[in-house]
Amino acid sequence: MAAKRGATFRRRELGKELRKLREKKDLTLQDVGKSLKFSHTKLARVELGENDLPRVADLEALMVLYELDSKDDRETLLQLHRESLSKEPWTPYRHVMPSKMPTYRGLEQDAKAMRAFEPAVVFGLLQTEAYARALFLLAKPVDETRTEFVETNVRLRMERRELITRDDNPLQLRVIMDEASVRRMVAGPDVMRAQYDLIAELNQLDNVIIQILQNSVVSYRAQSNFILLDFPDALDPIAQVDMPDTISVTDSANTVQNYIRRFDAMRESALAPAETAGFLHRLAREWK
């Protein structure tokens, strides 16, 4: 029996299949738009999994245009369509998410593995509640956000940690953090020491590997944070990068491979995972 996947995963699957069918018929997005009176930009977003396709009649029209006659294949797409329209558990948080974050969050939920680099702050899935709240409060007067925005984002961040602590198929997580990200003081010493303790504790999980890239090491360092997601089936790996007021999410093979090379270069230079706890304990003593 196929594993149950979230709506975003199914939407991405459906878009991928529709793109393959269109390309098999040697049709452009503009060709389809003219034939079916669709917006070709809307269809492009559907194929990328960024937008859903609300009307089943639109899917039926596409299958007719693409001459998809197999009953089984048609039913597969119809089933993907039905599942793509279900609500995601994070839907109540959509209003506090930056552009494209809902798509990433839906994909993150169904990923089997994540590789991440964070140069500036403690990686999100590893943050304590107090540390996360301190980060949002520091930004509050600058970004002119409300207290409700801060608390909702903190709650969302804490719920996301369930990805690595859940009993059923926990996410395989490998994180590299620049030394600057754990040295940066975002709250008082007690908050920082508790944060270090949590990182060390999570690093003991069988599905989690955390490394620190020390300042003293001459090494390649990526200029921005990024995340790589791998999936168990159907979908290609994706790369996600934070940008001002939005995020970038792509499954471009060349882009993903570039980030894999960056991650691997830093992984080779970072402290061994077994040394992470000792390094953080030494930092904790410095706060005294």
Side-chain angles (χ1 to χ4, degrees):
M1 182 176 179
K4 182 172 176 55
R5 304 291 179 198
T8 305
F9 187 97
R10 294 308 190 203
R11 190 167 65 240
R12 199 93 170 182
E13 270 190 287
L14 178 62
K16 181 179 177 181
E17 292 303 316
L18 290 174
R19 183 171 68 243
K20 285 164 58 177
L21 288 169
R22 176 177 59 77
E23 292 174 346
K24 186 177 179 181
K25 298 300 293 182
D26 199 24
L27 295 170
T28 66
L29 290 166
Q30 288 79 5
D31 292 335
V32 177
K34 289 177 183 177
S35 295
L36 301 180
K37 302 298 187 286
F38 279 7
S39 161
H40 68 274
T41 54
K42 173 186 173 183
L43 183 58
R45 290 193 292 269
V46 168
E47 289 187 357
L48 289 172
E50 294 177 357
N51 282 16
D52 55 27
L53 194 65
R55 299 189 331 132
V56 69
D58 290 340
L59 177 58
E60 293 277 7
L62 287 169
M63 290 192 291
V64 169
L65 180 64
Y66 299 154
E67 299 180 348
L68 186 65
D69 299 323
S70 166
K71 182 178 179 181
D72 288 344
D73 289 345
R74 290 173 65 88
E75 181 52 40
T76 295
L77 291 191
L78 288 167
Q79 180 65 26
L80 285 176
H81 180 257
R82 286 191 289 270
E83 294 181 9
S84 74
L85 298 178
S86 62
K87 282 191 174 182
E88 297 275 28
W90 46 258
T91 299
Y93 300 110
R94 181 183 286 270
H95 67 291
V96 300
M97 292 181 175
S99 173
K100 297 191 179 180
M101 182 64 179
T103 295
Y104 170 77
R105 179 66 186 94
L107 292 170
E108 176 188 69
Q109 188 69 35
D110 288 314
K112 69 175 181 180
M114 175 189 292
R115 287 165 285 180
F117 170 64
E118 176 53 68
V121 296
V122 170
F123 182 62
L125 295 184
L126 308 179
Q127 292 175 10
T128 66
E129 182 173 341
Y131 182 98
R133 181 172 288 107
L135 278 179
F136 282 109
L137 288 174
L138 286 172
K140 185 172 182 286
V142 178
D143 295 338
E144 297 183 333
T145 54
R146 300 168 63 89
T147 300
E148 184 268 342
F149 176 90
V150 171
E151 293 304 319
T152 302
N153 270 287
V154 170
R155 192 160 59 249
L156 173 61
R157 188 156 295 183
M158 294 305 100
E159 289 182 10
R160 287 175 64 206
R161 194 185 304 147
E162 184 260 350
L163 292 169
I164 57 175
T165 59
R166 62 194 178 196
D167 294 329
D168 185 25
N169 294 320
L171 181 71
Q172 300 295 313
L173 175 66
R174 183 157 199 159
V175 177
I176 300 170
M177 290 186 289
D178 196 289
E179 181 177 333
S181 69
V182 290
R183 276 195 176 276
R184 177 185 171 191
M185 174 73 93
V186 303
D190 289 344
V191 170
M192 299 304 296
R193 281 193 288 267
Q195 179 62 78
Y196 297 157
D197 288 344
L198 178 63
I199 295 171
E201 177 185 333
L202 293 173
N203 196 38
Q204 306 255 342
L205 297 176
D206 292 338
N207 58 303
V208 177
I209 297 174
I210 303 169
Q211 294 177 265
I212 306 294
L213 188 56
Q214 292 177 280
N215 290 339
S216 59
V217 173
V218 177
S219 166
Y220 168 79
R221 281 172 165 80
Q223 297 301 304
S224 64
N225 63 328
F226 63 86
I227 293 173
L228 294 158
L229 293 183
D230 293 300
F231 300 94
D233 49 29
L235 296 188
D236 298 323
I238 69 163
Q240 181 267 315
V241 183
D242 286 349
M243 303 172 71
D245 302 319
T246 186
I247 66 172
S248 167
V249 179
T250 180
D251 62 0
S252 163
N254 287 339
T255 301
V256 170
Q257 192 57 45
N258 285 340
Y259 281 107
I260 290 174
R261 286 199 300 272
R262 293 170 190 175
F263 186 87
D264 288 345
M266 293 185 289
R267 175 176 54 81
E268 292 297 326
S269 301
L271 277 176
E275 299 179 71
T276 296
F279 180 85
L280 293 174
H281 289 154
R282 291 193 294 276
L283 279 187
R285 288 197 294 271
E286 291 183 16
W287 294 126
K288 296 178 181 179

